[in-house]
Amino acid sequence: MSYFSEIYKGIKTLLTGMSVTGKYFVTSRKGAITQQYPDNRDTLKMFDRFRGEVIMPHNEENEHRCTGCQKCEIACPNGTIEIIWDRGIDEATGKKKKKIDQFIYHLSMCTMCGLCIDVCPHDAIKWGQNFENSVYDRSTLTRVLNKPGSTLMQGVED
């Protein structure tokens, strides 16, 4: 007799689950968030809180806000960020000043924890919206974030 009661309980739980799924399917079609990717690639906008990759925004004059303080490099738990810097003479003051040569970001090592972005005192790095990072060669996921010839934005001091 217990054999038939187990079958009955199994069918009952199956129908309960199917009823929940059926209700959702019928009633909440207007708020569906499914995207038709890759057909809508041109119009696709990720959510504001999406953590795609770390980027360094530059303005129209190819200036960034990174002073090379290395707080992001120190805060990173696994060495994803590497800042290569040098001291150069500042034209305005004539004193030696730290300037970044390369801001290297290893996306393949990044855990997307956001500690680097939280600790940056000048908001020089932000989360980007790029999510298409499937590659065959992992070395292509290593990126230099500062553009060639970029300089420190005026008014940003260490």
Side-chain angles (χ1 to χ4, degrees), residues 80-148:
T80 299
I81 295 175
E82 181 181 352
I83 299 176
I84 301 172
W85 57 274
D86 192 17
R87 293 208 184 268
I89 304 283
D90 187 16
E91 294 83 22
T93 61
K95 296 180 181 179
K96 285 190 175 183
K97 190 174 182 182
K98 185 189 257 188
K99 296 180 180 181
I100 64 169
D101 184 33
Q102 287 185 325
F103 190 106
I104 302 171
Y105 171 61
H106 303 282
L107 178 61
S108 61
M109 295 168 44
C110 187
T111 59
M112 310 296 175
C113 65
L115 293 174
C116 58
I117 294 172
D118 293 340
V119 78
C120 183
H122 303 292
D123 294 327
I125 53 178
K126 301 187 181 313
W127 285 116
Q129 295 288 312
N130 184 21
F131 61 92
E132 295 178 321
N133 293 313
S134 298
V135 295
Y136 289 107
D137 184 16
R138 200 179 323 179
S139 66
T140 59
L141 294 175
T142 298
R143 301 184 176 138
V144 178
L145 296 186
N146 60 317
K147 296 178 182 174

Side-chain angles (χ1 to χ4, degrees), residues 3-158:
Y3 174 73
F4 291 112
S5 65
E6 292 294 325
I7 291 175
Y8 173 73
K9 287 179 187 175
I11 291 174
K12 182 180 174 188
T13 57
L14 176 69
L15 292 176
T16 303
M18 289 177 71
S19 68
V20 170
T21 304
K23 266 191 244 176
Y24 178 77
F25 185 72
V26 172
T27 59
S28 64
R29 294 295 281 187
K30 57 186 164 271
I33 59 170
T34 303
Q35 299 285 332
Q36 297 300 321
Y37 179 80
D39 297 336
N40 66 343
R41 186 179 280 169
D42 297 333
T43 60
L44 183 63
K45 170 81 170 82
M46 296 305 291
F47 301 106
D48 292 335
R49 293 181 55 188
F50 178 73
R51 296 179 174 195
E53 63 181 344
V54 175
I55 60 169
M56 180 185 290
H58 290 67
N59 64 8
E60 298 81 29
E61 288 85 34
N62 198 18
E63 295 176 331
H64 56 78
R65 300 179 62 86
C66 181
T67 60
C69 67
Q70 295 179 297
K71 289 183 181 178
C72 56
E73 185 176 6
I74 294 167
C76 184
N78 57 348
T80 299
I81 295 175
E82 181 181 352
I83 299 176
I84 301 172
W85 57 274
D86 192 17
R87 293 208 184 268
I89 304 283
D90 187 16
E91 294 83 22
T93 61
K95 296 180 181 179
K96 285 190 175 183
K97 190 174 182 182
K98 185 189 257 188
K99 296 180 180 181
I100 64 169
D101 184 33
Q102 287 185 325
F103 190 106
I104 302 171
Y105 171 61
H106 303 282
L107 178 61
S108 61
M109 295 168 44
C110 187
T111 59
M112 310 296 175
C113 65
L115 293 174
C116 58
I117 294 172
D118 293 340
V119 78
C120 183
H122 303 292
D123 294 327
I125 53 178
K126 301 187 181 313
W127 285 116
Q129 295 288 312
N130 184 21
F131 61 92
E132 295 178 321
N133 293 313
S134 298
V135 295
Y136 289 107
D137 184 16
R138 200 179 323 179
S139 66
T140 59
L141 294 175
T142 298
R143 301 184 176 138
V144 178
L145 296 186
N146 60 317
K147 296 178 182 174
S150 63
T151 58
L152 182 63
M153 194 178 293
Q154 295 297 323
V156 179
E157 296 297 323
D158 219 5

